[in-house]
Amino acid sequence: MTEPGQGLFDLPEKVPAPRRTSTKNASRKNGAQKTGTGSAGTQKTARKTKNSVSTRRRTVKELDPKVGEVIETYASEDRLENAPLKNYLGASTAKALARHLGLETVGQALEYYPRKYLPRGELTPFSSLVEGSEATIVARVLKVTTRQMASRRGSITEITITDQLTDQPPSPAIESLRPNPNAYRGAGAPAAYQPGYSNPRLQGSAGAMAGSPRSDYGAGHGFKLGAVFNSYAAGSYAMVGNSDTMTLSFFNAWTAAREIHQGDQVMFSGKVGTYRGELTLTNPHYAVIADRASGMAPGASAEAIERAKARANAPIPVYKATPKYPTDRVAAALEALLERLSLKELEDPVPFTVRKSRKIPSLAWTYRAVHTPDTEQTWRAAHHSLRYREAFVLQAALARIRAARAAHHTLARPFVPGGLADALTGLLPYKLTEGQEAVGAEIRDDLASSSPMNRLLQGDVGSGKTVVALRAMLQVADNGAQAAMLAPTEVLAEQHYRSVCQILGDLLDTRPFDPAAAKSAHEPPADKGTVRVVLLTASLKTKAKKEALLAITSGSADIVIGTHALLADAVQFADLGLVVVDEQHRFGVEQRDALRGPGGALPHRLVMTATPIPRTVAMTVFGDLDTSVLDQLPAGRQKISTHVVPLAEHPTWAQRIWSRAREEIDAGHQVYVVVPKIGGGDSSAETETGETLFGSATASTESARGGALASVESVLEDLEGEPALAGVRIAGLHGRMDTAEKNRVMTEFSDGQLDLLVSTTVIEVGVNVPNATLMVIMDADRFGISGLHQLRGRIGRGQLPGTCLLVTKQPADGVSRERLDAVASTTDGFELSRVDLEQRREGDILGAAQSGKKSTLKLLRALTDAKLIERARQDAFAVIERDPTLALHPDLARTIDRALDADREAFLGRG
């Protein structure tokens, strides 16, 4: 079974053409002022633009094929996409689009796609409306009345509308089901869900077919809500009356009384509200779609008749709009723009040969089809075309970054048989998994090449990434070079330092550092048989920092582990051969690219992430990196059982949490208690740096059912008086503590001198305490799926099984409970990652939150468009292989530069 519109791309010439409207009609709808931007002025502008385009294209061929020069030239050129809207729509309309929607150029307007389409001839069911939301509906007018207001001067026009296409009365069986108890509003909710109705919070604005029984509407949509609503406590809520009709009021609106008549189909846009228990729209904007006299006058031309028929059946595009500039005005402006543009002058990023082989329609056809479609098949075809273009541009940007990096040369660091890397394998108290061996072989071959390695190593929590990275660093050390490991926090850097030293065992150089000897030529690790590991963080004492810097500069330090302090100008490596970046999404673009080898050469680079990424997402976001996956856990790792503790339903379970903790402690084990905040203040400063909690901004310091969020300070205070924990050694940990104090607490917990640690998410990654077997996560609903999975990975790291308790005050039907149930249902990080990404915005996947800008992708979805992305990737990489600088593809180069500015493109390339 194919997707609607999928077969269109096998025979593109049979794709229905998008509907076109006359310039006269578009101008009248748009309300553009006659300010010298009429057809003559437009043609003049178009001719001028076309001539300048030809001149510029001739200039491109003369460019020297160097990336920097080409990109600089492309960026300075004037294109139709960059032309101001006032050249085509008039000053007043252009000003309104800029003020209300932020649209200033032709390209921005053309890429302002409809958010949905309403089928013309089908009405919007009123049961789908939710109070307080902005809605756009299509309804049939039953009655229009105008009367004088009694309490003040003026008139009021009342328009009664219906979501029924016919005047046939509902059947008795249907009538007996009203009013719809699921269409509630306000904070309360019905005590129980009643079957046979659509759910207004989940059912979108999909029109019901004429004549279909209302009792069937909402059936067969794949959701069962009985269990959800049964858990609600009975509360007060506003009951909807007759859900077939709605009365809209217009005050002193003579135009509404004159333009709207009984029998018309009208599109209304406004905020959903209630008046006397009935649904209504507050101050709605309207547009008549089909009036009662829509039939053609006698003697109309065949062309006019066909145009009227096409318009009568065309889907209605609905745009993201504002109350002062509603969707029909946006549609009219874009329709007028399409008529006045010479769309053939638009630059298409996809080369003609690729479009022909993939049967992708032209860009001119696509823009008309997405904004003025004549059928559902047409706009679906346009969406497919736009999604492919988005995927192609993104993959071309990644391919260009990959090609640029591959063009650099670095020193090869081949594997040394019998060296330190081999020795480490013999020292390990366990056997490497097949996955670790396979990934190790891939990295070994990469390091032996003169082309810089650029590899992503991803694996689930506890899959053994650190050992794989350490073997790679030892291979570099065997060649007399240095390796650096970059960690995002001091806690993680110090944990990596302790773990690496512990794993090395007898291979660790424990001799005191001699600054005088360090100034002479240092002894290669392979000759001395040991490795010197140095830690460098911003909080080191002056003497220790000077010694670390001297060891790095002299080459005495073989492996350097540190935080952002490694990126300082004062840090100069003698011969940097490998950079290992852990959780690199926490570093800025410039920071990730700061570490260089001798003479500024690019070192080999290994990127590690403990957040599993679905293959298609990794291909989209990390497309310039080779990817290795560790999907096996080392032998001996124990299973972690996870349970949701719902205090809203079972408040007495709060006491049981601490009794359970005491049981683990009495058995000789240790316990983590994780909280979302540091202190009890209301400011965002009370959360860890970079930490984003789920929930509204206004409720950032409150839990789901009232009361303050748990914090390190409040929980420590509560546990001091908890009888079940009498005599237990308890301490707190968070990222804003003094470094020495943090190290002391973490060391004491690692050494077993503390029984229970109350901490923020600073222990999320890298912390390794095998004796910790229980984790209690307070207000777990405020964390994301990935964060929860990372946190529970801190337990069960030894020979003992782990238990994770997700404590929440959210009710059973709360939006966050779905996340908690997903985490409790599986320990498969890749499956959880898929669920997590399905619930998040695409911009989050692409890192828009870090760059502080909107997501580049508009229609493409990395999870659902896997096959399309793979095809686009093949095509884009083939183009870049033939033309690495894109000197022969200026349209593609300019599109990349517009869509992905220098910072964004570097971010996608991960530095």
Side-chain angles (χ1 to χ4, degrees), residues 229-263:
F229 285 105
N230 281 338
S231 61
Y232 266 115
S236 60
Y237 59 93
M239 186 73 74
V240 176
N242 189 341
S243 59
D244 278 343
T245 63
M246 184 189 307
T247 300
L248 310 180
S249 298
F250 296 82
F251 297 93
N252 297 319
W254 300 107
T255 55
R258 185 172 61 250
E259 296 177 353
I260 301 177
H261 309 90
Q262 180 181 350

Side-chain angles (χ1 to χ4, degrees), residues 28 83 233 516 583 590 623:
R28 175 172 57 82
E583 299 297 324
E590 295 82 3

